[in-house]
Amino acid sequence: YSFYTAESMSRLTLGVAIGSVYLGGMIASPIASYAKLSVSHMLRAGTVLTALGILTTVYTPLGPIIFGLGSGLVFIGAVVYTSQMARSTLSTTSGLLMGTLSTMVYIGFAVVPLTSGLLYPTLSLAHIIVLNALIVLAATMLPIRRGGLGCA
């Protein structure tokens, strides 16, 4: 939310907030690696934490860390899920699957700020933040299939 942060945060505060997101992601990696979580639990827990982080970012400095934790879990879960899909289908296109995953991540990085900026003249910042959190929470409703075959 660059239009929000430019008005309310100094460069130092903004740097700490962004760094906190990455710190949360770094903390999530070993948690995801050592925890006995299924891929579906990792993805669902990550999306809920991400949505919680989005909402709390406005109210507490812990919001970006929570956001990073959730996003980190989702990303690790997505990579594991993608690799399981490639193995279970005996696909030689695992590079294509990982490339598609990366492309989708970068599309999200581009589309969310652009859409938020377009909506800002019509909706308040609070409404945009809640809308983003609801979109993330909606992802928990998506079916997660083990290896692309049966339900997880």
Side-chain angles (χ1 to χ4, degrees):
Y1 310 111
S2 56
F3 47 84
Y4 169 71
T5 55
E7 297 169 4
S8 65
M9 290 185 176
S10 68
R11 286 184 178 175
L12 175 62
T13 305
L14 181 58
V16 169
I18 292 170
S20 297
V21 173
Y22 290 106
L23 177 64
M26 288 186 287
I27 292 168
S29 291
I31 290 172
S33 300
Y34 292 106
K36 302 271 189 242
L37 290 173
S38 69
V39 173
S40 61
H41 285 109
M42 194 180 310
L43 290 168
R44 293 194 197 294
T47 55
V48 170
L49 277 174
T50 300
L52 181 64
I54 291 169
L55 292 173
T56 58
T57 294
V58 178
Y59 304 106
T60 175
L62 294 176
I65 293 174
I66 297 168
F67 176 86
L69 281 168
S71 298
L73 284 175
V74 168
F75 191 75
I76 299 295
V79 169
V80 171
Y81 179 69
T82 303
S83 68
Q84 287 176 351
M85 278 181 33
R87 277 188 302 208
S88 72
T89 59
L90 301 174
S91 173
T92 58
T93 60
S94 60
L96 177 64
L97 291 172
M98 292 306 290
T100 302
L101 172 64
S102 295
T103 301
M104 295 301 113
V105 168
Y106 285 108
I107 286 173
F109 287 161
V111 169
V112 171
L114 177 64
T115 306
S116 296
L118 292 172
L119 292 174
Y120 186 62
T122 341
L123 297 175
S124 70
L125 178 64
H127 286 106
I128 292 171
I129 290 170
V130 169
L131 179 63
N132 281 318
L134 289 173
I135 291 168
V136 169
L137 279 175
T140 62
M141 306 308 287
L142 294 173
I144 299 172
R145 300 185 185 283
R146 186 170 291 137
L149 301 173
C151 287

